[in-house]
Amino acid sequence: MLAIILPVILLMFGLWGPPQLWKTIREVIQGPKKHHDYFSVEHAAYSYAQYRTLALAEVTAMRNSYVKLSRAHKRIGYDLGYPAKLRTLEELTALNAHVTDAIADLAHSEHPGLAEAASGDLGRVRETLKHFVRDWSTEGAAERAAILTPVLDVLRRVPPARRAEMRVLVPGAGLGRLAWEISELGFDTTANELSAFMTRALRFLLAPHTTARAEQHTLHPYAYWFSHQRSSAALFRGVRFPDVLPRLGPRLRLAEGDFLAHRGAYDVLATLFFVDTAINAIATLEHIYALLRPGGTWINLGPLLWPGGAQARVELSLDEVLRLAEMVGFEIEGEGGRPVEAEALRRRSVRCEYTGDSQAMMKYMYDAEFWVARKPV
């Protein structure tokens, strides 16, 4: 009897037999995992929970590739320290998993009975870990300053006494640094974000029992990417975060969900690396316009990297986006013969990175476009 039951048990847990076979048997017994929306809490929580397993599987694949070397070349690799380098990657992956596991645990505590997704997305998790660097570390300060300063300089022109009564919406807020900075200026600020990969990580920062002090956590966000590295020390370096301690409060709110379903009336919308994430850019600009009160301001900074695979209904050039904004009803500062009230409002290109590795040998640079537009009174 044991000879019959034991293989079934091993198959159920994937400890023996072809992966597809044990997956099929487990689904017969337990039922298939459900497919959830790509940016859903279920998919994000499962991806964070699976980070360690998925990342270590990549290390195993790298080690399997290394052992295919000839004996003489393996000896050279040993003298170079390559096996030790792979062991370090394993160790740092386990350290990173302290953060990803905590994010997954928090998601399950806030959403009891959360269903298990069909698969995890290691790439999205790694992207979010690099956003901790970009948004909430001292190391990310230079990249952050290049893209946040133009937006904040526009808002600093508002007299401090008026700021508390002005409502600002930040769609596509990501990990929330821009929204937090705006709230620190005194504005009533709402951060809106669709992706649970981002909102789960942000809530990890916002929750006192997971993040109680500045510089509490350490990540090794670049350890997995061996290309374009000047040294193993740079590759494996740790980054502490957060540099400041964010909290929700009367001036800062988080609205999770699709921007196109968001409702309200705002004095300012600030879009940072957001417009080009739209599946339907026309609907997005129309909704930005609709959410603004008469006389309201739209501040934008970002590139035009449209969703690939023909997902976007339209993929517009910059001149087409600006024309669309005017067709929707916006008046863009400095366009159409209109004067510019101040240099801070002038439309311009901003050279910037996006979650870049400051010590790597290669940089991805954007000439992002910045503009300020008004909704007529």
Side-chain angles (χ1 to χ4, degrees), residues 320-355:
E320 290 169 334
V321 171
L322 294 172
R323 184 181 173 199
L324 171 61
E326 293 184 334
M327 291 171 69
V328 166
F330 282 110
E331 298 175 349
I332 301 171
E333 288 281 342
E335 299 294 302
R338 285 179 288 272
V340 178
E341 295 179 13
E343 281 302 309
L345 308 180
R346 187 178 298 279
R347 183 189 142 208
R348 59 193 182 272
S349 294
V350 177
R351 178 62 62 92
C352 58
E353 293 183 79
Y354 189 83
T355 64

Side-chain angles (χ1 to χ4, degrees), residues 143 146-147 273 301 303 350-354 364-368:
E143 180 181 322
I147 56 178
F273 280 72
L301 192 153
V350 177
R351 178 62 62 92
C352 58
E353 293 183 79
Y354 189 83
Y364 291 101
M365 302 299 296
Y366 290 98
D367 281 331

Side-chain angles (χ1 to χ4, degrees), residues 73-317:
H73 286 177
K74 281 203 286 283
R75 179 64 197 183
I76 293 173
Y78 179 83
D79 291 341
L80 287 170
Y82 199 77
K85 188 174 182 178
L86 293 177
R87 288 195 298 273
T88 300
L89 176 56
E90 283 182 324
E91 293 165 1
L92 298 183
T93 297
L95 291 177
N96 286 347
H98 291 315
V99 172
T100 57
D101 288 346
I103 295 172
D105 290 344
L106 180 61
H108 282 280
S109 69
E110 292 181 341
H111 299 271
L114 200 61
E116 194 173 87
S119 62
D121 189 329
L122 178 60
R124 282 287 178 184
V125 173
R126 283 173 168 166
E127 179 186 350
T128 308
L129 297 185
K130 288 188 285 187
H131 272 78
F132 280 129
V133 179
R134 172 186 183 254
D135 277 20
W136 297 104
S137 79
T138 301
E139 179 163 326
E143 180 181 322
R144 202 161 57 239
I147 56 178
L148 299 192
T149 300
V151 178
L152 297 175
D153 281 349
V154 175
L155 293 169
R156 289 188 181 105
R157 290 173 45 80
V158 177
R162 289 189 52 216
R163 295 176 186 176
E165 65 190 34
M166 294 183 66
R167 300 187 69 210
V168 180
L169 178 66
V170 182
L175 291 193
R177 184 62 183 247
L178 175 59
W180 181 83
E181 293 282 359
I182 293 172
S183 73
E184 288 294 291
L185 291 178
F187 293 92
D188 181 347
T189 310
T190 299
N192 166 241
E193 176 58 51
L194 168 66
S195 172
F197 286 90
M198 292 293 181
T199 59
R200 294 306 96 199
L202 176 55
R203 288 198 178 277
F204 167 78
L205 289 178
L206 295 171
H209 65 285
T210 51
T211 304
R213 64 184 186 278
E215 309 288 350
Q216 179 176 341
H217 309 293
T218 300
L219 280 172
H220 304 268
Y222 309 111
Y224 73 96
W225 185 246
F226 282 18
S227 298
H228 309 300
Q229 298 296 336
R230 296 185 181 278
S231 68
S232 291
L235 169 68
F236 292 138
R237 72 188 186 278
V239 179
R240 298 184 68 84
F241 73 98
D243 60 325
V244 295
L245 194 61
R247 291 288 184 262
L248 296 178
R251 293 201 307 267
L252 181 61
R253 301 172 183 83
L254 177 58
E256 300 183 43
D258 186 355
F259 168 68
L260 294 180
H262 189 80
R263 298 293 180 265
Y266 294 89
D267 301 285
V268 179
L269 261 78
T271 53
L272 180 68
F273 280 72
F274 174 70
V275 168
D276 60 335
T277 66
I279 298 298
N280 184 344
I282 299 171
T284 295
L285 265 64
E286 286 179 338
H287 199 52
I288 291 172
Y289 190 85
L291 289 173
L292 282 171
R293 292 168 173 154
T297 301
W298 172 30
I299 309 169
N300 177 78
L301 192 153
L304 292 177
L305 180 62
W306 301 106
Q311 296 179 74
R313 304 295 183 262
V314 290
E315 300 182 33
L316 306 177
S317 60

